[in-house]
Amino acid sequence: MQNIEKNLNQIRAQILQAAKRYERDPDSVLLLAVSKRKPAADIRHACQFGQKDFGENYLQEAQQKMQDLQDLEICWHFIGAIQSNKTRDIAQSFDWAHCVDRVKVARRLSDQRPATLPPLNVCIQVNLDHEASKAGIELAEVADMASAIAQMPGIRLRGLMSIPAPRDNFEQQRAAFAQLATALESLRQEGISCDTLSVGMTQDMEAAIAEGSTLVRIGTAIFGERT
Ligand SMILES: *Cc1c(COP(=O)(O)O)cnc(C)c1O
């Protein structure tokens, strides 16, 4: 049994420390607890220790947990690949979708977002290292895609998300995140209001915070290894 309280406190302390070191406001870095393939009971446990944001990759699994945890106030983030035939369910049940990488998918999410809910928060996924195994668009395509989706009424473009390939050292990790931070800043200069850089996992969280991450996605270090 993992000690979720202890793990959460440890991660929070690391975020605080990194924020201080790089002169960031600690409150500007949101901790997203990635709960994929972990039971609803673990999420409930984390909620008791003040965690509100949870990330899920698999739709059906997430829907089951949402049902089990209806009594809790949770902000649900979809962080998996988005297939076109899943957009309706994602638009209906989630607060965020981090992996938008097609205009068509963005349009479907926007059209299918229930009018009773606030717009779905979305990030554009960037495939920084051109990896065939990963989703996302090239950095050079970000500006066009952002302007294509920024005005869609059912979604609210919040920023960029990426999972860079592992780097050998801290400086290389920082350099990768800096490219994303620059791209986000260019969007802002073009008048597209974005406030989110969804980068940083267990291995590269500090470098991500150094370069302006506003949302780190941490699973194993909170909930333990997935089986
Ligand atoms: C699984 C996952 C994470 C968390 O990974 P850990 O190694 O468990 O911390 C973060 N982001 C995405 C997109 C994921 O799929």
Side-chain angles (χ1 to χ4, degrees):
M1 176 69 192
Q2 283 291 315
N3 192 335
I4 291 172
E5 180 185 22
K6 183 174 128 251
N7 293 347
L8 271 175
N9 285 336
Q10 205 158 37
I11 296 286
R12 285 173 184 149
Q14 285 169 12
I15 292 173
L16 197 69
Q17 223 171 32
K20 272 195 186 142
R21 187 170 302 140
Y22 298 99
E23 299 179 339
R24 302 271 320 274
D25 172 2
D27 292 335
S28 69
V29 186
L30 182 73
L31 172 58
L32 179 64
V34 176
S35 42
K36 63 172 173 235
R37 292 175 21 215
K38 292 292 174 180
D42 283 9
I43 297 178
R44 186 173 290 281
H45 211 71
C47 280
Q48 282 165 3
F49 302 113
Q51 182 63 32
K52 288 192 85 131
D53 290 84
F54 292 88
E56 291 282 340
N57 297 54
Y58 311 105
L59 184 60
Q60 279 190 328
E61 179 191 327
Q63 285 171 322
Q64 182 62 54
K65 291 178 195 173
M66 287 172 184
Q67 211 161 42
D68 296 344
L69 300 168
Q70 268 177 39
D71 57 308
L72 299 175
E73 243 182 72
I74 290 176
C75 184
W76 292 102
H77 298 242
F78 192 75
I79 60 169
I82 306 174
Q83 295 161 293
S84 293
N85 63 346
K86 301 285 170 62
T87 52
R88 184 175 300 280
D89 284 337
I90 292 169
Q92 285 175 350
S93 353
F94 283 84
D95 301 292
W96 284 72
H98 286 245
C99 302
V100 171
D101 64 355
R102 281 179 290 158
V103 174
K104 179 186 159 195
V105 160
R107 185 169 298 118
R108 288 174 69 96
L109 289 170
S110 177
D111 290 347
Q112 294 166 344
R113 181 69 167 175
T116 49
L117 296 177
L120 178 71
N121 298 292
V122 305
C123 292
I124 294 173
Q125 183 172 2
V126 178
N127 190 343
L128 194 68
D129 301 302
H130 329 287
E131 293 171 280
S133 62
K134 283 180 190 159
I137 62 171
E138 296 292 312
L139 259 188
E141 300 170 326
V142 165
D144 280 352
M145 174 131 178
S147 47
I149 73 174
Q151 304 305 325
M152 293 180 181
I155 60 175
R156 180 173 165 211
L157 177 61
R158 297 296 297 267
L160 303 177
M161 177 271 194
S162 188
I163 312 168
R167 300 294 200 273
D168 290 338
N169 63 53
F170 183 73
E171 288 310 317
Q172 287 173 14
Q173 289 177 350
R174 278 192 72 159
F177 293 129
Q179 293 183 65
L180 295 158
T182 302
L184 187 72
E185 185 51 36
S186 325
L187 292 183
R188 288 202 192 107
Q189 289 187 354
E190 286 167 35
I192 297 174
S193 66
C194 288
D195 59 8
T196 301
L197 195 53
S198 168
V199 292
M201 297 169 54
T202 306
Q203 302 311 317
D204 53 15
M205 186 176 86
E206 177 161 344
I209 292 172
E211 294 298 339
S213 169
T214 64
L215 188 153
V216 293
R217 304 180 311 262
I218 309 289
T220 309
I222 297 172
F223 298 111
E225 295 290 340
R226 290 178 289 272
T227 49

